[in-house]
Amino acid sequence: MPRLDLTASAADLTRAICDIPSVSDDETALADAIFDAVSALTHLEVHRDGDTIVARTHLGRAQRVAIAGHIDTVPINSNLPTREIEVDGEPHLWGRGTVDMKAGVAVQLKLAAELVDPRVDLTWLWYDHEEVEASRSGLTRLARSRPDLFAADFAILGEPSGGEVEGGCNGTLRAIVRTHGARAHSARSWMGENAIHAAAPILARLADYCAAEVPVEGLVYREGLNAVSISGGVAGNVIPDLCEIEVNYRFAPSRDAAEAERHVREVFDGFEVEITDLAEGARPGLDAALAQEFVAAVGAVPTAKYGWTDVARFSALGVPAVNYGPGDPMLAHHDQERVPLAQIESVERGLRAWLTSR
């Protein structure tokens, strides 16, 4: 079984974690390695739920901070094992998971091992199934079995943010928009009704859609509505009777789930719409005292998080949360995923300095 050395540098630990493949549904080997490593730390109470591991201090501090990161990745595409490369003269670690988000997890694991006397009590959460539908997330499961483990005054998600602070996040909705027709032989197409042709107005509405930029508590969130897949067809000589277009709506945290669903149904009025996944976003939460102290300590200028992250889970529980981690979010899921080694070190310094200041 792979073993993790938590005394290694955060960069070396990133490489070790990335080289343990953990595509969603295959996180157990990495979860085992993390569990074994943190279970040896006597200053932490460790709890495991499936492939989610939670480690907590109990120092009697007046405040508690939750720091979380997911351990799964999107599928590998010839980008493991990791290797060190230079980009514009700067050393980077290249490979699947380096950005999203094992560099952040590595920083967290190193600090979890070393910070035995932090300024606040800490809850570290490393969880599975973030890269798939929200219902399968380890945090969803944990919220049912141990909701007490989410208790905190402030939360930090180690999602890639370029070493800057990103407040809140957009919500996300996925839906299937369907058209129906009637099958016929393609040589006698007038005897049927082509469902794929009937989908043309759906694509036209998407092409004409203007994404809104929505200010929320001082940050500007950019929305988006896009087709992400299309399917239809029976055989090469049959007029299709069904076409399905999957759309993804990214909506500002000023909208709740009901408003987001209503908007999508209005855009596709006249068509059959099935909502398949829906997760609300999170407001920035930067007005909380701990959040302001954190932002000041790391010297960041907060920006909006366009993608959905698990800050939304904490926000829904009344816990203000931000994203702060190494890696360019534009390279998340990219085949050339890579993280600057200096950025891993910078995030480690920022978190360490804030968590140990008095």
Side-chain angles (χ1 to χ4, degrees):
M1 185 183 76
R3 295 193 177 278
L4 299 177
D5 178 6
L6 301 189
T7 67
S9 70
D12 287 344
L13 195 51
T14 300
R15 187 162 196 168
I17 294 171
C18 289
D19 286 339
I20 304 174
S22 58
V23 176
S24 303
D25 286 336
D26 191 28
E27 298 101 323
T28 299
L30 179 54
D32 287 345
I34 291 173
F35 181 73
D36 282 356
V38 297
S39 292
L41 303 172
T42 58
H43 64 285
L44 295 175
E45 172 195 88
V46 181
H47 172 80
R48 181 167 183 172
D49 183 299
D51 288 333
T52 290
I53 294 96
V54 182
R56 299 192 294 173
T57 64
H58 291 283
L59 301 170
R61 303 290 192 248
Q63 295 172 303
R64 177 174 291 275
V65 172
I67 302 179
H70 65 84
I71 64 173
D72 61 325
T73 72
V74 296
I76 297 162
N77 189 23
S78 301
N79 47 6
L80 280 185
T82 54
R83 66 175 185 265
E84 191 170 317
I85 64 172
E86 281 200 2
V87 179
D88 298 328
E90 297 294 328
H92 287 62
L93 185 63
W94 173 96
R96 175 63 76 225
T98 53
V99 171
D100 193 9
M101 56 161 286
K102 291 184 175 180
V105 169
V107 168
Q108 293 169 6
L109 284 167
K110 184 168 180 60
L111 293 178
E114 295 180 1
L115 299 184
V116 298
D117 187 31
R119 60 178 292 217
V120 292
D121 267 311
L122 294 171
T123 299
W124 305 95
L125 303 100
W126 302 289
Y127 58 99
D128 58 291
H129 286 95
E130 190 272 348
E131 297 290 6
V132 292
E133 56 268 31
S135 61
R136 300 176 63 199
S137 167
L139 290 189
T140 299
R141 188 178 63 250
L142 196 67
R144 289 194 301 264
S145 63
R146 290 293 304 273
D148 57 297
L149 296 178
F150 286 83
D153 300 287
F154 179 52
I156 301 169
L157 271 291
E159 289 282 356
S161 63
E164 300 295 335
V165 174
E166 292 183 326
C169 68
N170 275 333
T172 182
L173 177 154
R174 285 186 294 190
I176 303 296
V177 187
R178 292 188 180 89
T179 56
H180 298 272
R183 296 188 190 186
H185 196 296
S186 60
R188 304 170 186 83
S189 58
W190 61 90
M191 297 298 294
E193 185 179 348
N194 196 311
I196 294 178
H197 293 182
I202 298 171
L203 297 177
R205 293 182 195 185
L206 287 165
D208 292 340
Y209 185 84
C210 294
E213 294 188 359
V214 183
V216 182
E217 298 175 12
L219 302 183
V220 178
Y221 294 83
R222 183 178 175 85
E223 297 192 330
L225 180 64
N226 293 280
V228 293
S229 71
I230 184 169
S231 62
V234 180
N237 59 354
V238 178
I239 299 301
D241 61 342
L242 176 66
C243 181
E244 297 184 328
I245 299 175
E246 183 178 21
V247 299
N248 182 211
Y249 177 40
R250 300 289 176 147
F251 56 96
S254 54
R255 295 185 192 261
D256 62 19
E259 290 175 295
E261 179 175 348
R262 185 163 56 250
H263 178 69
V264 168
R265 291 190 183 280
E266 287 172 353
V267 171
F268 300 111
D269 184 42
F271 292 95
E272 178 184 330
V273 176
E274 178 190 356
I275 308 299
T276 58
D277 189 39
L278 178 54
E280 292 184 350
R283 302 183 77 88
L286 295 170
D287 53 346
L290 273 175
Q292 292 174 0
E293 292 173 16
F294 171 70
V295 169
V298 300
V301 177
T303 57
K305 185 71 170 180
Y306 293 153
W308 187 91
T309 76
D310 282 302
V311 295
R313 296 184 185 278
F314 290 96
S315 179
L317 296 170
V319 179
V322 299
N323 304 278
Y324 178 66
D328 181 352
M330 299 294 285
L331 291 175
H333 303 184
H334 198 286
D335 286 345
Q336 295 304 315
E337 194 173 347
R338 59 188 182 270
V339 62
L341 299 187
Q343 207 169 89
I344 300 174
E345 296 167 358
S346 174
V347 168
E348 180 190 348
R349 283 196 305 272
L351 275 174
R352 184 189 299 276
W354 181 63
L355 290 172
T356 57
S357 64
R358 300 293 182 181

